[in-house]
Structures are given as C-alpha cells and as structure tokens.
Amino acid sequence: MTESSHQPSQGGRFEPPYDGHADHLETPIEPIEPVEVQVEDDRTGMTVVTLKRAFADNLYYLLAKDEYWATPHDYYMALAYTVRDRLLHRWINTSRTYIDKDVKTVYYLSAEFLMGRQLDNNLLNLGLYERARQALHESGLDINDLKVLESEPGLGNGGLGRLAACFLDSLATLEIPAVGYGIRYEFGIFDQWIQDGAQVEHPDKWLRFGNPWEVRRSELTVEVKFGGYTEAYSDGQGRYRVRWIPDRKILGTPYDTPVSGYNNNTVNTLRLWRAGASEEFDFQVFDSGDYAGAVTNKIFSENISKVLYPNDNTSQGRQLRLEQQYFFVSCSLRDIINSHQRIHRTFDRFYDKVAIQLNDTHPSIGVAELMRLLVDEYELGWNRAWYITRRVFAYTNHTLLSEALERWPVSLFEHLLPRHLEIIYEINRHFLDEVRAKYPGDEARVGRLSIIEEGAQKYVRMAHLACVGSHSINGVAALHTDLLKADVLRDFYELWPEKFNNKTNGVTPRRWLLLSNPHLSELITEKIGNDWVTQLDQFKQLEAFVDDAEFCSRFSSIKRKNKQSLAEYILLYNDIEVNPDSLFDIQVKRIHEYKRQLLNVLYIITLYNRIKKDPNVDILPRTFIFAGKSAPGYYIAKLVIQLINSVAKVVNNDPDVRDRIKVVFLANFSVSLGQRVYPAADLSEQISTAGKEASGTGNMKFAMNGALTIGTLDGANIEIRQEVGPENFFLFGLTTQEVYALKARGYNPRDYYHSNAELRQTIDAIASGYFSPDNRDLFKPIVESLLDRDEYMLFADYQAYIDCQQEVSRAYRDAKHWTRMSILNVARTGKFSSDRTIKEYCQEIWNVQPVKIDLKEYQPHTAGLQVKVQAKRPVL
C-alpha cells in the first residue's frame, strides 16, 4: 500500500508534526485540516510508484527472484504479471456484469487466433504504456528490451487467425459481450527456418517459458467422445432415443486469456482448449513392465491439441484434423450450454442470449453437435432443437477455393463420429424434402445442394452443413459475396437469398497503426485529435493536409525512418544491406500459388535480364521483400520460396546489378514482424488471380500505413481502390469475368510463352538452371506447371503486370506526387477498421448491444472477501 506521510518542508528541512501548542511560535497557526489519505492497491494501482513496487513484488513473490538472480526474461514475466493484475480487476468485473445483466453474448468459434504479442497491446489499451516505461526506467530497465522477449503464440496460419484476433479486439473496444473459442495448440504453426534457400519447419515452442497471460480453468474441464457405435432405445415415456457408446474419451481443459478493450473497462475472454487423457497413466500396464504402453492413452489424447493444422496428405493427418475440429467445437458448445444453464433452467430463451459465429468451415461440425446435445442429452424434440440451432448459428465463408470448402469421407465419420453422421443424414433428409417441395423434379439441383456428396466414395460437405444450419451466410468482401451468390453457393442463394449478406473485413487500427507506426500516429493525432483510434472514418480530415508542405515533409520523413528501421532488421537477420531510399516493394502473406508470389519473381527476373542485356539501363532502385510460410505438405509453394531465395542469391551478388535491385526473404513471418514491415512499405503487392482471394487484410494494413497498392480487381482490392481513388491505385490484370471467359475458351499458356520474348527469356532462365546451378532441374516442376496448366494465369497477366510496374517506377520518381498519393491512401482507409465490420455483425447478424463496465475505486475498508452463504454461485 502507498499512503501519505509527513513531507519535507519547501526548504527541504523536515518539520515535526504540530503538537497543538503555539507558545514557541511568534504567530499562532490555524488548526490543520485533516488530509484524506490516498491509498492504491498494489494489484490495481496505476501510478508509477505503485507499478514499481508491484513489479518488484511479482519478481520476488511469483518468480522467486531478486535483481541478483533475475534474467531478462524474468523481468519480462514480472512486468507481464503486473499488467495482468490490472486486467484481472477489469476481467472479473466484466464477467460479473454480464452475468448480473443476463446479456446476449457472441461466441466466436475459430480454428485460428493469431493474437500477436500481448504486453504492448495491453499496456496501450490500459493507458499504461508511458507509466510502465517510466517505472522500468526508474528501476534500471528499458521496456524495449523486455517487449521483444515475449514468445509469440503461432496459433494461426495467416489472415483467418489474424482477422479473428482483430475481431476480438474490436468486440472488447466496442464493449460487446463476447468469448472467442479455439484450440491451445502446444506448438502452433511451425517456426520457419531458411536453409539453403528452402523452408525447413521447426517446432514453435511458444510455451517453453510459460505464458503469463493465460489462466487455467480446470474446474470447467469437459469430456469429448470419439468412435464407438450407437444404439436406439425408448425412454420412460416411450419416445425414440439414441445412445452413443464411444470407444474413447478425451478431456478438454480451458485456458483463458483476457482480451482488453481500448480505453474502457471491458475485458472479454479468449478460451482455448487443451486436450488430455481421461486416464493419463495406466498403473497396471506399467506394473507389467510395459512402461511406454502405460502412457499411450495420454500421448494419443494430447496429439489433438499438439500442432496447428497437421499435414493432411495422409489418412492419419486427415483424421487428426477432423478430431481437432470436433474437439474444440464440442468443448465450446458444452461450455456455452453450461454458462446458459447457470442462469436459465430451460432453452426457451437460448437464441435470445446466444449468438454463435462459425469462422469458416472448420467449426461447422457444431451444427450437428448442438443437435446431438439438445436431442440426445437434453431430450428436446427434433423440431424444437433444429429451430434453436438455426437461430443461434451464423456462418462466415472465407474462401472461393474448393480445398477450403472441406469435405470429409463418410467412412471417416462412421469411424470417428457415428452419431453425428446419423444426425447429418437426418438433417439432410429434412432439408432435401424442402428442396424437392420448392423445385419438384429437379434432382440435379437436389444433388448439388445435398450435404452428402454421392459417388464411388461419399463425402460430407461441411460448407453445406454450415449453410443449412445457419440463419446467416456472409462473405468478407463485396466481390467475394457476389461470387458466393453467383457461383460457389449459387443454389443456396437461390433457395435462401435472405440469408446472404456481405461483411467486408477490417483490421484493428490499435495494433496496425497506433502500435506499429507510433510516429505516424503522433502526427495524425497532432492534426486531427485522437478520436480516430476508435472512429477511423475521421481519417478523412487528413485530406485537408495533402498540400501542406510541412505535413508532407514530416509524413515522408516518418516513412523514411520506418524504412531505415526495416533495413537495419534485414542487415541483422539476413546479412543483406539494402538502400532505404530505394522503393520498398513488399509482398508478405501466406505462400500459395493463387497469391502469385511467382508472378512477382518473374518480374524480378525480367528486370535482371534487362540489366544483363544492358548494364547501364535506367532502372529505378528497388528492394523486393517477401515473407510468408507455406503449408509443410505444399510442394510447389515450398519450391517457390526456394526460387525466391535462389534468385536473391544471384541478383544480390551480381556486380552488373550495382545494388539497383535487392531481393530479400524474411524468415518466420509473424504479427510482430508484420508490425515492422507494413509501416515501411512503399508498394503493396496484392496480385492474386481475380476471383480467388476472398478479401485479404494485409492490403488494408499496407494502405493504412501509406503504401500504394499494385493489384488486381480481387477481394477487398476493389473496395480499397474505390475508397482511395483509382488514380491512387495501380491496377492491372484480367477481371474475374475475363478469367472465367478465357478458361472457357481454352486457355493455353504456351501461346503467351511463344509470343512474348521477355516472358520466354524469363522462363528459360529458370528452366536452364541458371538460378540453381547445383541442381539444374530443381525448378522444373514450376516451369512445367506454368507451361502445361498455369492454373492461376500468370502468363495471361504477365505483360499487364510488367507495364503496370513501369507506371509505378515513373510515379515513384516524382517524390512529391508519390507522397500525396500515400497520404490520400491513409486518409481514405477509414472504412477498413474492424470496428466498422463488427458493428455491422452486431446490428445485422447477432443483434447484440454494448454493455458498459463500471469499476469501483479501491477502498481499503472494503478490501478482502465478504463471503455470504447463498445459492449456487455462477462460475466466471
């Protein structure tokens, strides 16, 4: 505790307390009014002096260290616990308020949550950053040295997981009651190492030093069943029932992470499930001498939450993926029901209190699982259970690629989830009756809509299950939603047009501008105030400064500093010296053929060929920067990474190039690395084949930080171009309709190869082994794929891309005009805040309202517990 005591006089001499006798004073003094003692709790106090003491106490009492023994990581942990204490105060109050007010809550189910580092974000949201910095400085420490020690949980593979994290941030900032549900992957996505130019996967050991932000809730552990068989029976009232007899059971234990809102008292929950064995150790087996067998059940059970997205090129990998999906969905639905039943005895108001959002198809098994729980375990009638299920679920589709519209073999369901297969068949029977009633005689349509795909091997179509079992189906960009209606889910749209809506994605400006680009944030705040942090549409006010010479100069200077910072990182980790005055041309995203990193490489080789032909050719200096991970089993994508690094090795070391081109691949791309990269970009590469990218969010982060976009009319690029203005966007390539039409006519990539000399020279250089002298056939699969199929039409867009890059070069040479375009990109990105997206979900899908959380000030006389005997108390 801190409380006032007698202070030195103004002259520095300590004055004794007045004893009531004034004989020795020349002038009698007035009686001293009693001073109110100000007390701060060490766990919740926000002043520098309290933070210093709390930090020291956590180091001493939680980590059992003092400054003699403490490591830098110990200091980080002590700081994290100090910040977490302040979150706990708000977290408990938030949970209690939600229960007391019996609010409707959003439950966001996602296989991925790519949260990023939490220390910075929580300090920012609590308004503690400067005070924490000062407290550490006075303790002899630098906050910047501690921030980088935080292990970053790789619980996602890219845009899907990062979007989920942005949504949780916005939900808390907008004071919306919400819980995120996912899996606590022990290793998450792999650490990416580059060895001899190739991606090599290593375990992501993010938990090796512990995680100070999570709280284990063992008392909320639930049981999940797998395998076995079902049997029918009649209950006491003679009603038909089904009992599932599993052959194995697994326990799901929740680990909760607080999710703080910006500049408010709301702290929501991210609840991640860890898998464990119901019986971890078989003593009898151990006693018989089979020591490995004694822990077999533990090993197999824990595998479920071991790794994010196991390789599904094998039948075992596919089974593990389905096990993961069912595991976290079953745990989450049981938890939702348990929470509901602490307040409500029936399911009469379940859909008035619960909104469940399926983030892509991974959690869509939830439709069948909720039906199983309601019908089998809570004994609701089928029709009532189905009415409830369709009222609570909403489905977000995130893809136009067939591979992400998951299908599971019926045989796998029979083996793993026999009761769910029965339920899916029954859902499908009722659904197809509805289809036949509306479209009599149209059996082709019935086959297209069916949840079960018929054929030599039958499959369960998970996207279809999600569509049938949800009251809302949304895409994540205007074009994406239009393509869902016109193509991917056309039959469902014709059946239920009222279900379909668009919710264009967004990103949180707290992490992607305020944290990532503090200097630009300060400049913006100086000019338009700080309300933009939660009202990003206020960015429009920046347009008034687009011709302000002083503002433009400072804006350019900040960009230059950010580029210099990234250049220093590249020198440190890649041992490549790059010129911060060159154009930073950046493509960072998951490595996939449709994202066309390979088209970017073809342009680099084209420039290189021009230099080799004429070493004095006038080429704008550029630094090409790539980053991203390929799925471990995605052979071609991994080969693209190797090609990028092989081209870099040749180009960066060729004296003819004279540093006009540099190529860099940043290993192990992550949220924290993204925070360094996005503010430094001059040019944002968003060059996917039109009609393949659902939305993209990296494009928004780049534009928000002042990068100009070169891109196709794909995903959210279309809306970015509409917002920033066509004149501030570099557009090239076929449209979606042109892609479809060209393929329908019979696309032959060899026609482009033979008719375009620069393209032919570029492909021949790769095919000849020029960039792989030790293995001249190394990149042969890439060349054959392009010449024989070119699935994503790189050759068709090649010349348009080359010409557009020439426009980029011309524009960049006019620094004043480029800065103007850059400022306008920032000023016109207000639409792309995830706050706007979440408001639309709340109003148009979830029907939920904000709930204000009030904190009572700490009072010493009310400290401590005051336990009363009462009815069953809700568990937070």
Side-chain angles (χ1 to χ4, degrees), residues 48 92 282-283 369 402 429 574 631-632 638 756 845 866 876:
V48 171
I92 292 171
D282 191 321
F283 186 81
E369 172 65 357
S402 58
R429 183 179 70 80
N574 289 68
K638 293 178 76 169
N756 190 312
I845 297 178
Q866 298 175 350
L876 298 182

Side-chain angles (χ1 to χ4, degrees), residues 434-446:
E434 181 182 345
V435 174
R436 289 188 175 99
K438 186 166 185 177
Y439 303 102
D442 193 347
E443 287 302 304
R445 184 186 296 269
V446 170

Side-chain angles (χ1 to χ4, degrees), residues 101-301:
K101 293 188 176 183
D102 190 16
V103 300
K104 186 173 186 179
T105 301
V106 174
Y107 298 99
Y108 198 81
L109 272 59
S110 178
E112 300 183 30
F113 285 97
L114 202 56
M115 299 297 289
R117 288 174 173 157
Q118 294 297 289
L119 178 59
D120 255 2
N121 198 64
N122 287 322
L123 285 170
L124 175 74
N125 287 345
L126 289 170
L128 270 181
Y129 195 94
E130 280 305 312
R131 278 171 280 182
R133 184 197 59 76
Q134 183 179 342
L136 289 172
H137 177 73
E138 292 179 9
S139 301
L141 296 166
D142 187 334
I143 194 170
N144 294 316
D145 294 337
L146 303 189
K147 291 189 305 183
V148 297
L149 299 177
E150 180 175 354
S151 295
E152 191 168 339
L155 307 184
N157 186 37
L160 185 74
R162 187 50 234 172
L163 179 78
C166 284
F167 279 8
L168 291 189
D169 177 271
S170 287
L171 283 162
T173 296
L174 295 171
E175 300 180 309
I176 303 297
V179 178
Y181 281 114
I183 299 177
R184 183 181 180 267
Y185 302 102
E186 183 178 343
F187 292 110
I189 195 167
F190 56 87
D191 276 346
Q192 180 194 55
W193 295 11
I194 302 299
Q195 296 179 349
D196 298 324
Q199 170 180 293
V200 179
E201 300 88 21
H202 290 263
D204 170 23
K205 301 178 181 178
W206 70 283
L207 288 170
R208 64 189 179 278
F209 296 124
N211 177 11
W213 303 105
E214 67 183 7
V215 177
R216 177 180 170 127
R217 306 286 194 188
S218 299
E219 74 281 5
L220 300 180
T221 296
V222 296
E223 186 178 78
V224 181
K225 305 172 185 177
F226 287 102
Y229 60 94
T230 65
E231 60 181 23
Y233 70 99
S234 296
D235 64 15
Q237 298 178 350
R239 295 173 301 185
Y240 177 82
R241 297 291 181 193
V242 176
R243 180 184 296 115
W244 179 13
I245 313 297
D247 60 16
R248 62 189 176 109
K249 298 177 181 178
I250 290 172
L251 299 181
T253 301
Y255 288 72
D256 289 357
T257 300
V259 181
S260 57
Y262 176 77
N263 197 31
N264 63 28
N265 295 321
T266 297
V267 177
N268 285 330
T269 300
L270 171 60
R271 179 161 288 175
L272 303 177
W273 299 95
R274 178 182 182 271
S278 55
E279 294 292 339
E280 293 193 349
F281 184 80
D282 191 321
F283 186 81
Q284 291 183 346
V285 172
F286 180 87
D287 214 29
S288 69
D290 185 1
Y291 305 136
V295 293
T296 298
N297 189 29
K298 172 182 170 65
I299 293 170
F300 277 99
S301 298

Side-chain angles (χ1 to χ4, degrees), residues 418-434:
R419 178 54 179 149
H420 295 77
L421 184 60
E422 294 175 352
I423 290 172
I424 289 170
Y425 274 129
E426 186 66 10
I427 292 172
N428 201 41
R429 183 179 70 80
H430 286 276
F431 168 56
L432 295 185
D433 286 346
E434 181 182 345

Side-chain angles (χ1 to χ4, degrees), residues 510-804:
R510 270 77 63 184
R511 183 175 290 275
W512 296 115
L513 194 55
L514 202 56
L515 277 178
S516 303
N517 204 339
H519 297 300
L520 180 58
S521 298
E522 289 171 10
L523 176 60
I524 292 171
T525 298
E526 178 186 319
K527 297 300 181 181
I528 67 172
N530 62 6
D531 287 347
W532 64 266
V533 179
T534 53
Q535 300 172 49
L536 203 62
D537 54 357
Q538 294 196 10
F539 265 14
K540 278 285 187 183
Q541 298 175 49
L542 292 173
E543 291 194 39
F545 301 96
V546 74
D547 295 317
D548 183 318
E550 185 261 350
F551 180 85
C552 291
S553 175
R554 291 173 64 187
F555 185 94
S556 296
S557 176
I558 289 167
K559 176 65 74 173
R560 178 60 168 70
K561 289 177 182 176
N562 292 335
K563 292 172 70 175
Q564 180 63 45
S565 174
L566 182 57
E568 291 169 0
Y569 179 94
I570 291 169
L571 182 61
L572 179 63
Y573 288 97
N574 289 68
D575 198 24
I576 299 173
E577 187 172 352
V578 302
N579 176 10
D581 293 316
S582 66
L583 186 150
F584 275 23
D585 184 335
I586 302 183
Q587 188 174 17
V588 293
K589 54 182 73 235
R590 181 166 53 94
I591 308 297
H592 196 291
E593 288 171 278
Y594 87 84
K595 294 179 183 289
R596 301 204 296 191
Q597 285 91 352
L598 189 53
L599 180 59
N600 196 344
V601 176
L602 297 185
Y603 173 58
I604 295 170
I605 297 174
T606 299
L607 289 181
Y608 178 70
N609 287 339
R610 290 176 181 176
I611 292 174
K612 296 303 290 182
K613 182 179 180 180
D614 177 9
N616 295 317
V617 65
D618 181 21
I619 287 180
L620 177 78
R622 289 201 192 211
T623 299
F624 294 91
I625 299 172
F626 297 85
K629 297 179 181 180
S630 162
Y634 194 168
Y635 174 70
I636 289 293
K638 293 178 76 169
L639 206 56
V640 168
I641 293 175
Q642 199 163 1
L643 177 60
I644 292 170
N645 285 298
S646 297
V647 170
K649 185 176 180 180
V650 171
V651 169
N652 295 347
N653 293 288
D654 191 323
D656 286 344
V657 174
R658 298 199 301 272
D659 293 337
R660 284 171 288 177
I661 302 174
K662 284 289 179 72
V663 183
V664 177
F665 188 94
L666 300 175
N668 209 37
F669 189 62
S670 61
V671 174
S672 56
L673 182 52
Q675 290 177 221
R676 186 183 294 270
V677 168
Y678 294 117
D682 292 310
L683 187 68
S684 162
E685 296 271 355
Q686 308 298 329
I687 59 177
S688 54
T689 311
K692 295 299 182 183
E693 185 74 82
S695 170
T697 51
N699 46 10
M700 302 171 187
K701 297 164 194 168
F702 278 119
M704 195 176 286
N705 281 278
L708 304 188
T709 302
I710 180 170
T712 53
L713 288 176
D714 196 29
N717 287 355
I718 297 172
E719 290 161 84
I720 291 175
R721 183 170 179 264
Q722 289 171 346
E723 293 295 316
V724 304
E727 69 279 8
N728 301 308
F729 186 106
F730 297 100
L731 176 67
F732 79 96
L734 300 174
T735 65
T736 302
Q737 291 74 22
E738 289 169 342
V739 168
Y740 287 170
L742 182 53
K743 286 201 171 186
R745 292 197 304 269
Y747 173 56
N748 184 358
R750 288 182 182 271
D751 291 343
Y752 294 86
Y753 169 79
H754 289 299
S755 63
N756 190 312
E758 280 200 314
L759 173 60
R760 187 169 61 253
Q761 184 184 10
T762 296
I763 297 301
D764 289 350
I766 300 172
S768 70
Y770 186 88
F771 299 104
S772 55
D774 296 333
N775 181 359
R776 294 192 176 274
D777 291 332
L778 178 61
F779 301 118
K780 185 177 180 181
I782 290 178
V783 173
E784 290 178 345
S785 173
L786 290 173
L787 290 172
D788 296 339
R789 297 181 302 280
D790 191 16
E791 177 69 23
Y792 299 104
M793 309 186 85
L794 280 72
F795 285 8
D797 276 345
Y798 169 81
Q799 191 58 52
Y801 181 57
I802 299 298
D803 294 342
C804 193

